[in-house]
Amino acid sequence: MADKTLETLFHETLKDVYYAEKKLTTNLRKMARAAQNPELKAAFEQHEEETQGQVERLTQVFELIGKRPRGKTCDAIEGIISEASEIMDEFKGSPAHDAGLLAAAQAVEHYEISRYGTLKAWAEKLGMDEAAGLLDQTLQEETATDEKLTMLAEAVINTAATGKSA
């Protein structure tokens, strides 16, 4: 167990979030196509573009630690994506469809905020200042996306989900 260090944990968690981001790129496209509300569709499309930049930053972090960028299956993201797929199937065409998609997207954001916050803290502890800066940049983007989704939910999507006008 002597080789199980914080550096090892950092690398393993980095692989986990790398897998998640790569998987999300494809799934954000699907969610954008499925969204009924044009503002939600645009939010998903914008975040897909942002996610591609986040993958590039993760690649830079792998390079900084001298490791090849690769992912490992992230069960948490697989579960959240599975739930989003169920919502797309089960609520298709209903007023609650977009509220469910938005909730699934926020579950992803909350997972990512947790992961990036942890990775940033570990990078700082390990003296990886450049990596910490890259991770913080993504953390800030994820937090901003979550806030945008909350505003969209409160202003439009949740009201529309009731089937009543505002």
Side-chain angles (χ1 to χ4, degrees), residues 121-151:
W122 289 345
E124 289 170 346
K125 184 57 104 179
L126 294 166
M128 301 176 187
D129 295 337
E130 191 174 348
L134 291 166
L135 295 164
D136 183 59
Q137 190 175 348
T138 299
L139 176 60
Q140 297 310 313
E141 287 176 355
E142 300 294 5
T143 301
T145 297
D146 182 51
E147 290 170 1
K148 287 177 198 169
L149 290 173
T150 295
M151 290 189 307

Side-chain angles (χ1 to χ4, degrees), residues 4-166:
K4 300 293 182 183
T5 65
L6 186 57
E7 288 94 345
T8 307
L9 187 58
F10 179 85
H11 182 230
E12 290 300 310
T13 305
L14 195 63
K15 291 191 298 189
D16 184 79
V17 80
Y18 184 78
Y19 173 92
E21 294 289 18
K22 298 281 271 186
K23 189 84 172 178
L24 287 170
T25 302
T26 303
N27 283 281
L28 281 165
R29 261 181 243 134
K30 290 178 187 174
M31 291 170 75
R33 283 193 303 269
Q36 298 166 7
N37 178 282
E39 290 177 80
L40 184 59
K41 180 184 291 289
F44 288 154
E45 289 169 347
Q46 177 187 354
H47 195 53
E48 181 204 343
E49 286 180 35
E50 203 171 68
T51 299
Q52 292 170 4
Q54 294 167 353
V55 169
E56 290 173 21
R57 278 195 293 276
L58 287 170
T59 299
Q60 292 175 336
V61 174
F62 276 107
E63 290 169 3
L64 288 170
I65 64 171
K67 303 284 185 181
R68 185 174 63 84
R70 68 180 183 99
K72 71 173 186 178
T73 301
C74 172
D75 293 331
I77 282 301
E78 290 292 339
I80 294 169
I81 288 171
S82 176
E83 286 179 11
S85 293
E86 286 175 26
I87 289 165
M88 285 188 271
D89 292 342
E90 293 175 20
F91 288 85
K92 187 175 185 176
S94 82
H97 177 266
D98 282 358
L101 279 183
L102 194 147
Q106 283 197 288
V108 168
E109 294 311 310
H110 296 170
Y111 170 79
E112 291 175 318
I113 289 166
S114 169
R115 282 297 190 215
Y116 283 109
T118 296
L119 284 167
K120 175 189 168 194
W122 289 345
E124 289 170 346
K125 184 57 104 179
L126 294 166
M128 301 176 187
D129 295 337
E130 191 174 348
L134 291 166
L135 295 164
D136 183 59
Q137 190 175 348
T138 299
L139 176 60
Q140 297 310 313
E141 287 176 355
E142 300 294 5
T143 301
T145 297
D146 182 51
E147 290 170 1
K148 287 177 198 169
L149 290 173
T150 295
M151 290 189 307
L152 185 57
E154 292 172 350
V156 179
I157 302 298
N158 291 343
T159 299
T162 67
K164 302 173 190 169
S165 59

